[in-house]
């Protein structure tokens, strides 16, 4: 890497980012809708009209099938950048352009998806009339999938100090109508992570379906309260455009208002399906990232500092390429403004059995999820269930169930 060689040390000159050009794989998600159209046309041309509806489900297929299979095939990454290259790697603008390129691809696909969802004549694609509802639902979910990955892109941009990148973060979130995430994640989640007060930290014994509304509505409420408090410190009321929650939501209103005006009210189901599916993907990842992990309370009543042991990590290569190293989550919490290409896999952090993509589907089935993860949470805390972030409604039952795992105790 030419930019890194300028540091002048032997270690820097020897080290190369083997993923440098693989980061362009992050653009696969926002271009899937366009890429699948030739396959739809070819299938229709050969008379396979029923099979031609399947490519519209490419988003869920990517998330639940292709990425888990690729993670299994290629395994863990294993490469961390050495200290000597960190500054040059952080300042290499190529990595920023990989992120920036996501946004125009994202919105081109959103517009294309809106057109395909509402069009009544798709003869150029070999479709008689409009798409079937099976194809339409798949299309909406596929656009939602790129919106969900887009929330992660916004996550990367929203942590940066440059105002341009922060505004790009809000623009990226507009598709999923989740602009308040920009406030809640940075100023809420990063402060309260791995504590009972954090709506975005999954609790031991809490199902994903219980976590989802708690995180969605808790995050929304938290974002509003945080932004209102910021404005009060400036002697301003919350109902103004400088409120970052309101101006973020306004972007969604303008975006979808314009598209509904262009394509008609028939677009409304598309808007709802893609938005709900998009932010539900984010929330399933939130559930995974800190499930059962708890920062202990100090003698002064405050929580201990967040450390690598408070985030679940995965170094599986392929999902990390699609999610810009989000799975190196401990380093991200330790260094929130650090750019994705410099994040490291930490030995002290607890590790997941596979990448996030492999686990998202499992979160939908609580018995499978608990069978996979509960014993890992306990092992992480040396079998001491009292050190775990437990769902309050099930606390007594869980403590009784795992009483023999608490050092010095026996089952009742």
């Amino acid at each position: 890497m030419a930019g890194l060689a300028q540091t002048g040390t032997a270690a820097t000159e020897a080290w190369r980012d083997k993923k440098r050009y693989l980061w362009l794989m992050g653009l696969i998600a926002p271009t899937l809708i366009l890429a699948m159209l030739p396959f739809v046309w070819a299938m229709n041309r050969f008379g396979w009209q029923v099979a031609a509806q399947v490519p519209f489900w490419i988003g869920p297929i990517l998330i639940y099938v292709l990425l888990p299979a690729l993670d299994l095939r290629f395994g863990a990454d294993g490469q961390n950048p050495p200290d000597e290259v960190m500054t040059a790697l952080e300042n290499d603008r190529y990595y920023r352009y990989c992120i920036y390129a996501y946004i125009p691809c994202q919105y081109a696909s959103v517009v294309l998806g809106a057109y395909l969802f509402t069009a009544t004549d798709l003869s150029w694609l070999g479709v008689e009339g409009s798409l079937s509802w099976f194809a339409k639902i798949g299309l909406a979910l596929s656009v939602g999938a790129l919106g969900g990955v887009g929330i992660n892109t916004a996550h990367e941009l929203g942590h940066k100090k440059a105002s341009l990148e922060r505004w790009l973060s809000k623009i990226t979130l507009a598709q999923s109508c989740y602009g308040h995430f920009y406030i809640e994640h940075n100023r809420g989640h990063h402060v309260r992570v791995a504590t009972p007060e954090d709506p975005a930290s999954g609790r031991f014994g809490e199902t994903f379906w219980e976590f989802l509304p708690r995180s969605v509505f808790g995050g929304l409420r938290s974002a509003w309260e945080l932004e209102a408090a910021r404005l009060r410190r400036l002697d301003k009321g919350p109902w103004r455009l400088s409120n970052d929650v309101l101006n973020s939501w306004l972007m969604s209103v303008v975006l979808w208002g314009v598209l509904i005006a262009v394509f008609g009210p028939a677009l409304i189901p598309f808007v709802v399906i893609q938005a709900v599916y998009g932010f539900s993907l984010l929330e399933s990842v939130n559930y995974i990232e800190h499930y059962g992990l708890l920062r202990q309370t100090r003698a002064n009543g405050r929580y201990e500092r967040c450390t690598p042991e408070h985030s679940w990590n995965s170094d599986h290569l392929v999902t990390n390429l699609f999610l810009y190293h989000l799975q190196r989550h401990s380093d991200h919490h330790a260094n929130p403004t650090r750019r994705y290409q410099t994040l490291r896999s930490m030995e002290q952090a607890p590790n997941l059995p596979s990448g996030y993509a492999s686990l998202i589907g499992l979160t939908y089935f609580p018995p499978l999820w608990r069978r996979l993860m509960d014993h890992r949470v306990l092992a992480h805390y040396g079998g001491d269930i009292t050190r775990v972030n437990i769902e309050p409604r099930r606390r007594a039952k869980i403590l009784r169930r795992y009483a023999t795992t608490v050092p010095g105790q026996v089952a009742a």
Side-chain angles (χ1 to χ4, degrees), residues 34 49 133 206 221 319 375:
L34 179 62
Q49 278 78 16
W133 271 104
E206 177 183 39
R221 181 173 58 252
T319 299
H375 69 93

Side-chain angles (χ1 to χ4, degrees), residues 10-177:
T12 300
E13 293 171 358
W15 190 85
R16 294 291 182 271
D17 181 7
K18 67 180 183 181
K19 302 188 293 290
R20 181 174 177 84
Y21 298 108
L22 292 177
W23 289 116
L24 293 172
M25 290 175 62
L27 298 180
I28 291 176
T31 57
L32 279 175
I33 306 300
L34 179 62
M36 61 87 178
L37 291 182
F39 295 96
V40 174
W41 176 85
M43 288 178 176
N44 283 320
R45 185 72 180 269
F46 283 104
W48 304 340
Q49 278 78 16
V50 174
Q53 299 180 63
V54 174
F56 290 100
W57 289 76
I58 187 62
I61 291 170
L62 174 72
I63 291 171
Y64 303 123
V65 180
L66 296 179
L67 285 181
L70 290 170
D71 270 342
L72 182 64
R73 168 63 180 83
F74 291 100
D77 180 352
Q79 186 190 46
N80 275 340
D83 291 341
E84 294 84 355
V85 307
M86 292 291 278
T87 300
L89 189 61
E90 180 84 10
N91 294 329
D92 190 337
R93 289 185 172 271
Y94 163 80
Y95 295 95
R96 302 184 199 185
Y97 300 149
C98 290
I99 289 279
Y100 297 166
Y102 190 99
I103 303 170
C105 294
Q106 172 189 3
Y107 279 101
S109 291
V110 167
V111 174
L112 175 60
Y115 161 70
L116 292 171
F117 192 89
T118 56
T120 57
D121 181 9
L122 290 171
S123 55
W124 61 273
L125 198 55
V127 177
E128 294 184 7
S130 60
L131 295 178
S132 69
W133 271 104
F134 178 78
K136 284 185 176 183
I137 292 172
L139 174 64
L141 292 176
S142 293
V143 173
L146 73 90
V149 178
I151 295 176
N152 179 63
T153 305
H155 165 262
E156 171 68 20
L157 292 166
H159 274 292
K160 304 305 174 281
K161 297 178 181 178
S163 59
L164 170 64
E165 291 180 291
R166 294 191 173 198
W167 274 101
L168 288 175
S169 175
K170 295 181 188 178
I171 291 170
T172 309
L173 290 167
Q175 177 197 337
S176 300
C177 306

Side-chain angles (χ1 to χ4, degrees), residues 175-229:
Q175 177 197 337
S176 300
C177 306
Y178 228 55
H180 59 278
F181 172 82
Y182 168 82
I183 300 298
E184 157 55 20
H185 180 82
N186 291 8
R187 293 175 11 215
H189 174 65
H190 271 260
V191 174
R192 300 180 296 234
V193 61
T195 70
E197 289 77 27
D198 181 29
S201 292
R203 298 165 176 168
F204 189 93
E206 177 183 39
T207 71
F208 170 70
W209 303 110
E210 294 167 326
F211 169 83
L212 181 61
R214 181 172 72 85
S215 186
V216 170
F217 294 109
L220 193 158
R221 181 173 58 252
S222 172
W224 181 262
E225 291 172 352
L226 287 166
E227 190 62 359

Side-chain angles (χ1 to χ4, degrees), residues 250-408:
L250 181 61
M251 290 182 183
S252 296
V253 171
V254 171
L255 168 66
W256 292 114
V258 169
L259 290 180
I260 290 172
V262 171
F263 296 108
L267 188 64
I268 293 174
F270 174 86
V271 178
V272 174
I273 293 170
Q274 67 82 32
V276 171
Y277 184 60
F279 69 66
S280 73
L281 288 174
L282 162 76
E283 296 298 355
S284 64
V285 170
N286 276 339
Y287 179 71
I288 292 168
E289 286 172 338
H290 307 282
Y291 177 76
L293 303 180
L294 179 65
R295 288 156 58 192
Q296 304 303 311
T297 305
R298 294 173 174 172
N300 61 6
R302 295 188 177 186
Y303 290 108
E304 65 180 326
R305 182 180 179 183
C306 184
T307 67
E309 70 175 34
H310 297 122
S311 302
W312 289 102
N313 286 248
S314 171
D315 204 26
H316 282 72
L317 176 63
V318 178
T319 299
N320 261 335
L321 290 171
F322 275 78
L323 296 182
Y324 304 112
H325 269 161
L326 179 67
Q327 298 177 134
R328 294 184 170 185
H329 208 60
S330 289
D331 195 4
H332 167 67
H333 272 278
N335 303 282
T337 61
R338 180 173 284 177
R339 295 188 181 273
Y340 69 94
Q341 67 270 20
T342 59
L343 292 174
R344 292 163 161 172
S345 182
M346 295 184 167
E347 292 183 359
Q348 314 96 300
N351 276 280
L352 295 165
S354 189
Y356 288 176
S358 303
L359 302 178
I360 287 173
L362 283 180
T363 66
Y364 304 157
F365 303 96
L368 295 179
W369 172 256
R370 296 198 63 186
R371 185 178 181 86
L372 178 74
M373 288 300 299
D374 283 8
H375 69 93
R376 287 181 164 84
V377 175
L378 284 169
H380 177 59
Y381 287 112
D384 188 350
I385 189 63
T386 62
R387 298 178 61 199
V388 174
N389 186 7
I390 301 173
E391 167 57 40
R393 291 172 298 176
R394 299 188 179 93
R395 185 174 184 84
K397 181 179 179 180
I398 289 172
L399 288 176
R400 286 196 302 271
R401 178 178 179 182
Y402 294 102
T404 55
T405 68
V406 181

